[in-house]
Amino acid sequence: MAVPAQAEAKASGPGRQARGPGRRLHGAIAHKLGTAILSGQYQPGDTLSGEVAFAEELEVSRSAYREAIQVLTAKGLVESRPKAGTRVLPRNRWNLLDPEVLAWAFAGEPDVEFVRSLFELRAIVEPAAARLAAERRDKADLKAMKEALAAMRRHTLATEAGRAADRDFHNAILHATRNDALMVLSASIGAAVNWTTQFKQRSRALPRNPIPDHMRVYEAIAAGDPAEASDAMRVLVDLALEDTRSSMAS
């Protein structure tokens, strides 16, 4: 079965520039296989078909398939050994916070426990980050947050532009912590925010407008109130989880 053009487009991701047909092709194959692994089509311990068989099935070159396997290996999803073939690794080896792996998880119906774990991570990290941001933010940080909020209002979270602004808002808070270890999480937190927000709207509009929740976080950070900033962010994450649970039950 040939790799579809739609999967190839998804592999490139929104806003990324095309990097040549070879890069796009192996990215599309990685997307196809990664999505299959994250959805449970391939279970940990399963051995993927041989290189020749898979290349023929997908109607791609063996080199493109090998490059795709290298991508999956780098993300901890599989390992390849001579004669033993390519085996799906245990879930605890997967780099689940890799933005591309998150995209693969939400390409189908994500695991309920995985969605819960993402929100647990956000509930641990983001209120603490908001507290630090309230103590350490500067004018540039507040400007970035305010501009992101304005873009969220202008575009709404039903659009890619609005969700990008949402990511920018959360990234600005992490940056304002002046904590390098927290700032490293910005891509992962941003991807989690993006995919859960997009997922909540897959079959219906958002059940409520979450922008006022973001505004309360901003106002507390701008006021330099660490406790209020932490509390407001905790409420934001808790309500987002409720919205997602409602969407998964529908």
Side-chain angles (χ1 to χ4, degrees), residues 1-5 7-8 25 28-29 32 54-60:
M1 183 166 112
V3 176
E8 188 170 328
L25 181 57
I29 300 167
K32 182 179 180 66
F54 237 125
E56 290 178 351
E57 177 188 347
L58 299 176
E59 298 179 16
V60 297

Side-chain angles (χ1 to χ4, degrees), residues 34 87 89 96 99 140 178 198 227 236 248:
R87 181 174 61 89
L89 290 173
L96 290 171
R178 302 294 184 267
Q198 188 169 331
L236 186 158
M248 295 182 82

Side-chain angles (χ1 to χ4, degrees), residues 160-244:
E160 174 54 35
R163 291 189 293 273
D166 192 9
R167 292 196 300 273
D168 290 343
F169 178 80
H170 290 270
N171 288 347
I173 292 174
L174 289 171
H175 185 271
T177 67
R178 302 294 184 267
N179 181 304
D180 290 342
L182 281 173
M183 289 162 64
V184 167
L185 290 174
S186 62
S188 298
I189 294 294
V193 169
N194 176 71
W195 288 110
T196 51
T197 302
Q198 188 169 331
F199 174 75
K200 283 182 287 191
Q201 302 175 81
R202 73 197 195 286
S203 59
R204 63 178 184 178
L206 285 172
R208 61 183 186 84
N209 180 11
I211 295 177
D213 303 328
H214 291 71
M215 178 57 72
R216 282 188 284 274
V217 174
Y218 167 76
E219 289 173 345
I221 292 174
D225 188 334
E228 179 59 27
S230 176
D231 289 345
M233 180 61 83
R234 183 171 291 105
V235 169
L236 186 158
V237 174
D238 287 347
L239 289 175
L241 175 56
E242 287 181 17
D243 292 343
T244 303

Side-chain angles (χ1 to χ4, degrees), residues 75-88:
K75 298 179 188 301
L77 299 185
V78 302
E79 68 174 1
S80 295
R81 293 184 177 179
K83 298 182 180 179
T86 301
R87 181 174 61 89
V88 179

Side-chain angles (χ1 to χ4, degrees), residues 20-31:
R23 294 295 297 273
R24 292 198 304 270
L25 181 57
H26 87 248
I29 300 167
H31 176 277

Side-chain angles (χ1 to χ4, degrees), residues 61-101:
S61 69
R62 292 171 61 181
S63 63
Y65 174 76
R66 283 195 298 269
E67 289 176 3
I69 292 299
Q70 289 173 4
V71 171
L72 300 182
T73 300
K75 298 179 188 301
L77 299 185
V78 302
E79 68 174 1
S80 295
R81 293 184 177 179
K83 298 182 180 179
T86 301
R87 181 174 61 89
V88 179
L89 290 173
R91 190 179 178 88
N92 61 10
R93 298 277 299 276
W94 300 356
N95 186 0
L96 290 171
L97 292 183
D98 181 286
E100 198 165 19
V101 175

